[in-house]
């Protein structure tokens, strides 16, 4: 993978990380990466190991879990805060990712989660990028440990 494309893909991934609550779609992300939508989807998956849509859903679910653990907002407010417009879609996706409903997740105790900065949670729960860093033409890190 060439370095300019890598930078563009990282820019699109950063856009997902910062604007996950916005209505992002593949054409918008491809524009951020300055490539066609189909090329963007293929290269994003090759670089990061998951599709852009799956990556976006993962970011939204991480944020939803954080908000639900805090317990100060309703499930509907969490749904809207992470970019879903339908409570049914949010609940279905949440159950698919987490294995339980948002209400059950919020009601359950989470003893291992204290007040941790969001940037730390994101860095620890992000998908590993070993495939990206080991690809030909990747920037100069020799090894990335899990």
């Amino acid at each position: 993978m060439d370095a300019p494309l890598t930078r563009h893909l990282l820019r699109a991934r950063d856009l997902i990380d910062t604007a996950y609550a916005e209505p992002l779609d593949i054409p918008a992300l491809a524009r951020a990466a300055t490539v066609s939508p189909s090329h963007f989807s293929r290269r994003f998956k090759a670089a990061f190991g998951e599709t852009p849509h799956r990556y976006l859903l993962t970011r939204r679910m991480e944020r939803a879990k954080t908000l639900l653990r805090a317990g100060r907002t309703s499930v509907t407010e969490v749904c809207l805060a992470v970019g879903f417009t339908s409570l049914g879609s949010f609940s279905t996706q949440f159950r698919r990712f987490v294995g339980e409903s948002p209400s059950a997740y919020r009601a359950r105790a989470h003893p291992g989660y204290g007040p941790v900065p969001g940037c730390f949670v994101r860095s620890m729960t992000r998908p590993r990028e070993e495939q990206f860093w080991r690809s030909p033409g990747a920037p100069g890190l020799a090894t990335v440990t899990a």
Side-chain angles (χ1 to χ4, degrees), residues 3-131:
L5 179 58
T6 301
R7 281 195 298 273
H8 292 304
L9 290 174
L10 288 170
R11 183 183 313 142
R13 191 184 70 175
D14 288 344
L15 177 62
I16 294 173
D17 289 340
T18 57
Y20 60 86
E22 302 298 321
L24 294 175
D25 57 7
I26 296 299
L29 294 169
R31 278 192 301 276
T34 64
V35 294
S36 72
S38 58
H39 187 64
F40 171 73
S41 293
R42 284 191 308 272
R43 300 312 303 173
F44 190 96
K45 184 172 182 176
F48 302 116
E50 60 185 335
T51 65
H53 180 68
R54 177 77 180 190
Y55 186 83
L56 174 62
L57 284 177
T58 302
R59 300 288 78 75
R60 286 178 172 173
M61 291 302 126
E62 289 171 355
R63 183 64 183 149
K65 287 168 59 178
T66 300
L67 292 171
L68 289 169
R69 279 194 306 269
R72 291 185 292 268
T73 55
S74 71
V75 172
T76 302
E77 290 170 331
V78 170
C79 164
L80 297 174
V82 299
F84 283 85
T85 56
S86 162
L87 184 58
S89 296
F90 170 70
S91 295
T92 300
Q93 290 297 330
F94 192 90
R95 186 182 300 273
R96 194 172 287 156
F97 272 76
V98 179
E100 61 186 328
S101 71
S103 298
Y105 182 82
R106 185 169 66 182
R108 187 168 49 89
H110 303 279
Y113 294 100
V116 177
C119 59
F120 184 75
V121 171
R122 277 193 304 275
S123 71
M124 297 305 293
T125 58
R126 280 186 133 175
R128 300 294 177 224
E129 300 173 12
E130 293 176 24
Q131 183 179 4

